[in-house]
Amino acid sequence: MRNAVHAEWTKLRTVRSTAWLLLGLITVTVLVSVLSTSAMHTSHCPTPTGCFEDTTKDSLIGIRVGQIAVVLLAVSVIGNEYGTGMIHTSLTALPRRRTLLAGKALLLVAMVAVAGTLAVLGSLWAGRTILAGNGFNPEHGYPALSPTDGPTLRAAAGTVLYLILIALLSLGVAITIRDTAGAVTVLLTLLYILPLLVQTITDPTWHHRLEKLPPMTAGLAITTTHNLDRLPIAPWPGTTLLAGYTAAAVLLATLTFTRRDA
C-alpha cells in the first residue's frame, strides 16, 4: 500500500493542476464566505437581534462553491490517466487493482482533508472578524464564532468530512464513467441541478419526501447550528445519507474497475 500511495503522490505532485485545485478550494471557499458575510449587517434587520442568523452556517457558505475544486481534483486523479492512456502503465507497474484504487483514494482523502481544514478555519476566522464588525456580536446576542464551541465544532468537522465524502463520490463516479467531462457533468448535476429540480415539485408530500435526498442538501445540513427542526434532514442523518451515496459509488467503481479491461 505504501508503494501505491507513493506512486500516486509522485504522479499528482508533478501535475500542475493538483496544487492549483487545492489552492482554489481554499481561496474560493474563503473568498465567497468573505463576500457573503460582508453583505450582512444588523442594520438590515427589523431589530438588532431580529435577524436570527446562523453565523456559523453563513461563514461556511463558500463551501458550496469551493467544492467544485474538489470535484475537479477527484475526477482528475483517474480521468487524466484514462485520457492519456497512462492507466495501462499504472496497471503494469501495480497489477493489483484494488490496491491501486486504495492508494488513489487515501492520497485524495489526505489532500482534501488538509486543504478542506484550512478552508473551513479560514472561513470561520473571516466570519468571526467580519460579522462581529457588522453588528453580529455578543452585544446583540450573537456569540463570537469559535471552533471550540460544540455546534460550531460539529459544523466545522462535519464540513471537512463533507468535502472528503464528495471527493470519494467524485472518484467513484469518474472510475465508473471513465470520461472526465462526463463525470464532471454528472457530479455537478447531482450537486447543483438536482436540488433545483426538486424545488419545482409542487406536490407538498412529494416535495417533502424528495427535498432531503440531493447529496449537497443532505451533506451540508451539517453546517446548520440553529433551528435544526426546520431542515429537510437533520445534520448527522444527512451526512450518513451522503456517506451511503459515496459508499455505493465507490463499491460500483471497485467492481467495474476490477472486472473490466482498462
Side-chain angles (χ1 to χ4, degrees), residues 134-185:
N134 289 350
F136 294 92
N137 48 44
E139 181 181 347
H140 292 146
Y142 296 94
L145 285 176
S146 172
T148 60
D149 176 65
T152 302
L153 176 60
R154 183 258 293 162
T159 301
V160 176
L161 177 58
Y162 170 81
L163 291 173
I164 291 172
L165 291 174
I166 290 297
L168 292 175
L169 174 66
S170 302
L171 180 63
V173 170
I175 291 171
T176 302
I177 294 179
R178 297 199 294 184
D179 177 75
T180 298
V184 170
T185 299

Side-chain angles (χ1 to χ4, degrees), residues 62-198:
I63 290 296
R64 294 175 177 270
V65 182
Q67 67 180 335
I68 295 175
V70 174
V71 171
L72 296 176
L73 175 64
V75 170
S76 71
V77 166
I78 189 70
N80 288 344
E81 293 194 50
Y82 277 120
T84 61
M86 187 69 181
I87 189 66
H88 299 287
T89 304
S90 297
L91 289 173
T92 300
L94 188 61
R96 292 179 295 178
R97 298 191 175 203
R98 286 189 175 86
T99 302
L100 176 64
L101 287 185
K104 290 181 180 295
L106 286 173
L107 182 59
L108 178 63
V109 166
M111 292 189 298
V112 171
V114 172
T117 298
L118 294 175
V120 167
L121 292 178
S123 296
L124 290 176
W125 176 82
R128 175 189 175 100
T129 303
I130 295 171
L131 290 174
N134 289 350
F136 294 92
N137 48 44
E139 181 181 347
H140 292 146
Y142 296 94
L145 285 176
S146 172
T148 60
D149 176 65
T152 302
L153 176 60
R154 183 258 293 162
T159 301
V160 176
L161 177 58
Y162 170 81
L163 291 173
I164 291 172
L165 291 174
I166 290 297
L168 292 175
L169 174 66
S170 302
L171 180 63
V173 170
I175 291 171
T176 302
I177 294 179
R178 297 199 294 184
D179 177 75
T180 298
V184 170
T185 299
V186 168
L187 289 161
L188 295 184
T189 299
L190 289 173
L191 291 174
Y192 297 104
I193 304 301
L194 187 57
L196 295 178
L197 293 177
V198 171

Side-chain angles (χ1 to χ4, degrees), residues 1 5-6 22 38 53 61 63 76 134-135 137 147 154 177 179 183 254 259-260:
M1 180 60 69
V5 174
H6 183 267
L22 291 171
S38 295
E53 291 290 344
I61 194 70
I63 290 296
S76 71
N134 289 350
N137 48 44
R154 183 258 293 162
I177 294 179
D179 177 75
T254 302
R259 294 185 179 184
R260 71 186 177 192

